[in-house]
Amino acid sequence: MKLYNTLTRKSEEFVPLEPGRVKMYVCGPTVYDYFHIGNARPFIVFDVFRRYLEYRGYRVTLAQNITDVDDKIINKATSEGIAAQEVARRYTEAYFEDLERLDIHRADVQPRATETIPQMIEFIQRLIDKGYAYDHDGNVYFRVRKFKNYGQLSGKSVDQLKSGARVAVDERKEDPLDFALWKAAKPGEPSWPSPWGEGRPGWHLECSVMATSILGDTLDIHAGGTDLIFPHHENEIAQSEAATGQRFVRYWMHNELLHFEGEKMSKSLGNFEYAREITERYGPEAVRYFYLAKHYRTPISFSHRAMAEARRAVERVYRLLEEIESQAQSAAEPELNEAQLSERGRALLGKLSQTREAFISHMDDDFNTAGALGQLFELVRELNLCISEDLQPAELPLLRAGEQLIRELGRPLGLFQGAPWQEVQEGLQGELIELLIEVRSQLRIKREYQLADEIRQRLSRLGVELKDQDRRTLWSYGTASQGSDERARA
Ligand code: AMP
Ligand code: ZN
């Protein structure tokens, strides 16, 4: 297998430290809000890579942290007038709910920053003892210039950083590039006792300590979005390698970002959609397909049109699975007899025998899910042709084999594992709701408000709530989820 290593900027043969085992760490969420559909990208793609490594026979141990103490959490708590712990508790729970909605498998170990404080203190002490860190009035900083390889991941030299970056001068630091490992407590903030006084850990440190304390000094894969390369991952390398004297990570993997309205989707810019809303509207497999149909190192733009297209692609496969199951039920299944196959049937047989291999070769090439899905859809096309062009009974076993292959190869992608009838129904339901929304907005343009309101009310009675927002209409099932979404926006 080959994978692209951000550290070397090359595609490299994947050789884990211990044969057959993969130690993997993916940066997790900071729990101060529901995560947005852009945040879902690393969660989904690295979930798929983990599943695929398992499909290829590796034993994977995945650790993913939960940052449950941080400035953003504290700010949210202050603005809502509740305790920071309460904010973290609420959104940690929401995070797990959203993972489940998206069928993202849980990591093997999910450490919380607040439960790893003793190890963090010990780690900082080690850095101080080795001369890589110093304290000043209850704050502890990392001495960046002492770490000779600083900048290797992001490709920035210390001098470039110094002149280019807008690093604020802070007289508590020896050098503006130094970053905080431990922050002295301010009144009302969560804090823990330490040799340097009451305080809390810095974000970069949290990941270094959680990763190495669970997986050991050297990880095989460390992953996250490209926005984390600098300074987060650069700082993680500096801290970890300074403390352990070992190489921290063999392969650094970074997903490109989701854009919306011309910029990176982000909470701070306000150009985001919650993952839970999008998942509810289009279904979890459409969200997965939306990401997997592109290479993870390609930037993607979010649009409702693209989500709807993704849903249609997923439905296309489920319709086929549904069709195959009903064909198989209506006829006794003969043994495969190649001599009796039509030309179409022989073409399908050829496709069946090469799909798995082609799928694997795409996935082995830096997890090219787009190429792999392309193979699956070529198979879908052949199967559909076979069904629509006068299906011969002798071809039934081929359809069955096609179905099994789609399900087998869909498994590492987290696609096509559902019951076909149900998925098709749910997809159709969504399409019909959207059609009604479209009719309603046309009516409103024509000022036929009475009929437009009638549509809204009738849908509401069926448990579908509409919400007009920024010249478009969002819908969701039931009042419970609507309520939580309202809260989220408040
Ligand atoms: P955060 O909670 O902001 O630390 O983000 C959690 C994960 O989402 C990190 O791996 C980020 O790199 C990733 N991420 C944040 N914004 C985007 C985006 N617009 N597109 C893709 N990934 C993102
Ligand atoms: Zn991290």
Side-chain angles (χ1 to χ4, degrees):
M1 280 183 76
K2 283 201 150 59
L3 46 89
Y4 183 85
N5 191 348
T6 312
L7 188 66
T8 57
R9 293 163 191 82
K10 278 202 282 276
S11 198
E12 292 176 13
E13 192 61 35
F14 177 56
V15 185
L17 197 59
E18 204 183 306
R21 290 215 48 184
V22 180
K23 294 193 260 179
M24 181 169 176
Y25 184 90
V26 180
C27 286
T30 303
V31 281
Y32 68 104
D33 194 358
Y34 303 111
F35 64 81
H36 63 61
I37 192 70
N39 296 133
R41 187 171 194 182
F43 302 159
I44 290 173
V45 299
F46 297 116
D47 173 58
V48 167
F49 300 171
R50 170 209 201 180
R51 293 193 203 195
Y52 181 71
L53 287 166
E54 285 168 350
Y55 174 80
R56 298 289 273 139
Y58 289 100
R59 267 179 51 222
V60 181
T61 307
L62 173 66
Q64 184 164 35
N65 65 295
I66 293 168
T67 297
D68 60 351
V69 57
D70 182 80
D71 292 340
K72 287 175 183 162
I73 299 173
I74 294 168
N75 292 343
K76 176 92 166 205
T78 312
S79 73
E80 294 201 354
I82 53 174
Q85 289 85 338
E86 176 55 21
V87 171
R89 193 201 54 75
R90 189 185 290 173
Y91 293 107
T92 301
E93 202 173 295
Y95 164 67
F96 287 129
E97 282 167 16
D98 288 353
L99 289 190
E100 197 157 318
R101 271 173 222 243
L102 280 161
D103 189 27
I104 294 166
H105 291 177
R106 291 232 192 160
D108 300 290
V109 198
Q110 302 171 104
R112 288 167 205 223
T114 56
E115 291 170 359
T116 324
I117 303 287
Q119 293 94 311
M120 294 185 192
I121 291 173
E122 189 270 330
F123 197 97
I124 296 172
Q125 190 59 56
R126 234 190 306 164
L127 288 171
I128 294 177
D129 293 345
K130 290 187 166 190
Y132 283 104
Y134 56 94
D135 76 298
H136 186 286
D137 271 355
N139 295 287
V140 184
Y141 298 101
F142 187 87
R143 201 170 262 135
V144 167
R145 279 180 192 274
K146 181 159 167 73
F147 184 71
K148 291 288 166 274
N149 284 332
Y150 195 83
Q152 57 182 326
L153 183 70
S154 52
K156 300 177 189 206
S157 74
V158 169
D159 293 322
Q160 261 175 335
L161 283 168
K162 175 110 198 229
S163 58
R166 287 166 290 148
V167 269
V169 177
D170 178 340
E171 61 255 20
R172 291 170 302 183
K173 298 184 190 177
E174 292 174 3
D175 186 312
L177 291 178
D178 294 352
F179 58 88
L181 302 172
W182 186 262
K183 301 180 178 184
K186 297 196 192 112
E189 289 184 2
S191 67
W192 290 262
S194 82
W196 319 284
E198 284 281 322
R200 61 188 168 94
W203 172 43
H204 313 304
L205 179 90
E206 295 178 7
C207 275
S208 278
V209 176
M210 288 189 266
T212 54
S213 63
I214 293 162
L215 299 171
D217 292 348
T218 303
L219 327 180
D220 293 303
I221 296 174
H222 189 318
T226 52
D227 57 335
L228 299 187
I229 294 175
F230 189 84
H232 186 53
H233 290 161
E234 196 72 66
N235 291 353
E236 278 191 46
I237 296 177
Q239 301 161 152
S240 307
E241 300 195 350
T244 68
Q246 303 292 319
R247 176 161 180 184
F248 177 41
V249 171
R250 293 166 70 79
Y251 302 89
W252 279 98
M253 298 186 72
H254 292 98
N255 63 276
E256 256 304 340
L257 302 181
L258 180 73
H259 294 255
F260 191 28
E261 295 162 350
E263 281 180 282
K264 170 193 169 184
M265 182 179 281
S266 82
K267 291 273 164 64
S268 51
L269 292 171
N271 60 339
F272 66 90
E273 297 269 2
Y274 286 114
R276 50 174 55 198
E277 268 182 17
I278 298 302
T279 311
E280 181 158 41
R281 179 160 174 191
Y282 298 100
E285 294 194 41
V287 177
R288 272 177 183 265
Y289 179 89
F290 170 75
Y291 280 128
L292 300 179
K294 290 263 164 51
H295 195 277
Y296 75 96
R297 289 191 289 110
T298 312
I300 308 187
S301 287
F302 176 85
S303 72
H304 285 277
R305 179 193 293 253
M307 292 305 312
E309 272 167 23
R311 188 172 69 201
R312 277 193 287 279
V314 171
E315 277 165 26
R316 196 157 157 244
V317 178
Y318 275 111
R319 287 219 173 82
L320 169 69
L321 297 179
E322 165 78 354
E323 178 69 30
I324 294 175
E325 291 196 354
S326 69
Q327 292 278 352
Q329 268 163 16
S330 63
E333 212 165 305
E335 292 284 299
L336 176 63
N337 181 343
E338 289 188 30
Q340 288 175 7
L341 292 178
S342 66
E343 201 174 318
R344 202 25 90 207
R346 278 197 300 279
L348 175 56
L349 186 63
K351 186 98 255 139
L352 276 169
S353 66
Q354 64 161 72
T355 298
R356 183 184 291 106
E357 207 179 311
F359 179 96
I360 289 176
S361 89
H362 282 294
M363 289 297 282
D364 277 1
D365 179 16
D366 191 27
F367 301 105
N368 182 359
T369 55
L373 268 175
Q375 291 299 319
L376 267 186
F377 274 81
E378 275 183 31
L379 175 63
V380 166
R381 186 169 160 270
E382 284 296 333
L383 287 159
N384 273 327
L385 282 173
C386 208
I387 290 173
S388 60
E389 285 180 18
D390 194 19
L391 180 74
Q392 306 294 311
E395 283 151 16
L396 264 181
L398 293 182
L399 296 189
R400 271 295 195 195
E403 179 188 10
Q404 275 160 16
L405 193 56
I406 290 170
R407 291 206 179 260
E408 175 198 318
L409 301 178
R411 192 154 28 89
L413 304 178
L415 291 172
F416 317 132
Q417 306 299 299
W421 181 83
Q422 203 176 334
E423 299 287 338
V424 170
Q425 289 294 307
E426 276 177 12
L428 187 63
Q429 223 170 64
E431 299 277 353
L432 291 173
I433 293 168
E434 237 124 84
L435 181 64
L436 283 169
I437 289 174
E438 175 78 40
V439 171
R440 174 173 168 265
S441 76
Q442 290 297 328
L443 287 170
R444 278 155 52 113
I445 290 167
K446 293 183 183 146
R447 297 175 181 278
E448 298 197 28
Y449 296 115
Q450 207 177 344
L451 201 50
D453 280 348
E454 173 92 14
I455 290 180
R456 173 205 278 278
Q457 282 158 14
R458 297 282 292 269
L459 278 171
S460 175
R461 262 182 264 151
L462 294 169
V464 178
E465 303 296 339
L466 305 189
K467 187 161 72 176
D468 296 310
Q469 187 182 304
D470 304 336
R471 277 184 280 146
R472 59 196 169 83
T473 304
L474 301 176
W475 63 269
S476 61
Y477 289 118
T479 45
S481 65
Q482 180 80 2
S484 61
D485 290 341
E486 299 275 48
R487 258 206 314 280
R489 290 196 177 278

